[in-house]
Amino acid sequence: AAGVIQSPRHLIKEKRETATLKCYPIPRHDTVYWYQQGPGQDPQFLISFYEKMQSDKGSIPDRFSAQQFSDYHSELNMSSLELGDSALYFCASSLGGRNTIYFGEGSWLTVV
Amino acid sequence: AQSVTQLDSHVSVSEGTPVLLRCNYSSSYSPSLFWYVQHPNKGLQLLLKYTSAATLVKGINGFEAEFKKSETSFHLTKPSAHMSDAAEYFCVVRFGGATNKLIFGTGTLLAVQP
């Protein structure tokens, strides 16, 4: 069965650069979530979208922005990268906001 | 306040012995509860979920969990641990109301000794 696809899987950027992570939800899923997991940390909720509209917002820095497109894929844009942004970024999707949430494999971002 | 607590950060068992990973939540709403497993350098895999149907939920790889409303608990168990079960386990709660985001527990690292 198709799963949540994230790209790139690994990304290395320098401080103050910009990075974009992409997420392709499971087909027919209309809700996308972004989580950040720092080294040795539990995943922290960043932001979610339902039907292309932001539905919930967590601890997402102002330097980050995200959107969900007409085909339901989502992109997380991160600017002015800092060393502390180095983390595993998970995207997840669900059908509506009350059904099971499935996670992608994650995108490793390393800021040097 | 809505929260989820995993009572043990590390659990070590011997192969073939039972596993118990504890999770408690606090919420004024009826929650949906999940257990996810994360193997080293891997993504989060859904083990099982409770969404107000049967209180005893069976998941993959022989795991199960029981929702006990009176104790606000959702402990994860397995009768016999396998070496491949060594991983980090997250108890995750989605509370009712206006929000649909997941709240993660801090995780329990399960070590399985031969």
Side-chain angles (χ1 to χ4, degrees), chain A residues 24-33 48-55 68-74 92-100, chain B residues 100:
Chain A
Y24 298 87
I26 292 172
R28 293 186 297 280
H29 280 193
D30 51 18
T31 306
V32 169
Y33 312 78
S48 64
F49 294 88
Y50 169 67
E51 283 290 345
K52 293 152 277 184
M53 299 289 289
Q54 181 182 307
S55 58
Q68 185 180 30
F69 294 86
S70 58
D71 64 351
Y72 295 102
H73 94 273
S74 178
S93 75
S94 68
L95 178 60
R98 306 197 68 78
N99 290 307
T100 301
Chain B
N100 60 6

Side-chain angles (χ1 to χ4, degrees), chain A residues 21 23 30-36 43-50 52-68 74-78 89-94 101 103, chain B residues 99-102 104:
Chain A
L21 305 181
C23 170
D30 51 18
T31 306
V32 169
Y33 312 78
W34 285 98
Y35 283 81
Q36 177 193 57
Q44 296 295 314
F45 174 72
L46 292 178
I47 195 167
S48 64
F49 294 88
Y50 169 67
K52 293 152 277 184
M53 299 289 289
Q54 181 182 307
S55 58
D56 215 337
K57 191 171 182 179
S59 52
I60 184 169
D62 292 339
R63 299 177 289 108
F64 293 9
S65 65
Q67 58 181 323
Q68 185 180 30
S74 178
E75 295 184 4
L76 177 66
N77 297 293
M78 299 173 284
Y89 289 83
F90 286 109
C91 172
S93 75
S94 68
I101 296 177
F103 284 82
Chain B
T99 183
N100 60 6
K101 66 182 180 185
L102 298 178
F104 279 75

Side-chain angles (χ1 to χ4, degrees), chain B:
Chain B
Q2 300 166 338
S3 66
V4 55
T5 302
Q6 290 184 244
L7 298 163
D8 307 293
S9 58
H10 293 82
V11 169
S12 182
V13 301
S14 298
E15 190 175 22
T17 64
V19 175
L20 170 64
L21 305 182
R22 298 182 292 169
C23 174
N24 286 90
Y25 69 93
S26 64
S27 173
S28 54
Y29 299 102
S30 295
S32 295
L33 297 152
F34 309 82
W35 277 97
Y36 285 87
V37 60
Q38 185 177 29
H39 288 90
N41 301 315
K42 295 290 187 180
L44 292 157
Q45 182 183 18
L46 179 67
L47 276 180
L48 49 80
K49 63 179 180 180
Y50 166 77
T51 54
S52 76
T55 56
L56 183 61
V57 182
K58 293 188 183 298
I60 62 173
N61 300 336
F63 284 94
E64 61 182 39
E66 185 173 7
F67 174 69
K68 291 186 177 180
K69 186 175 183 179
S70 61
E71 299 176 10
T72 61
S73 68
F74 190 56
H75 301 333
L76 181 71
T77 60
K78 182 172 180 177
S80 176
H82 191 272
M83 295 296 290
S84 62
D85 295 328
E88 182 137 30
Y89 292 79
F90 291 98
C91 179
V92 183
V93 182
R94 179 169 57 206
F95 299 102
T99 183
N100 60 6
K101 66 182 180 185
L102 298 178
I103 304 297
F104 279 75
T106 50
T108 298
L109 188 61
L110 176 64
V112 182
Q113 310 299 329

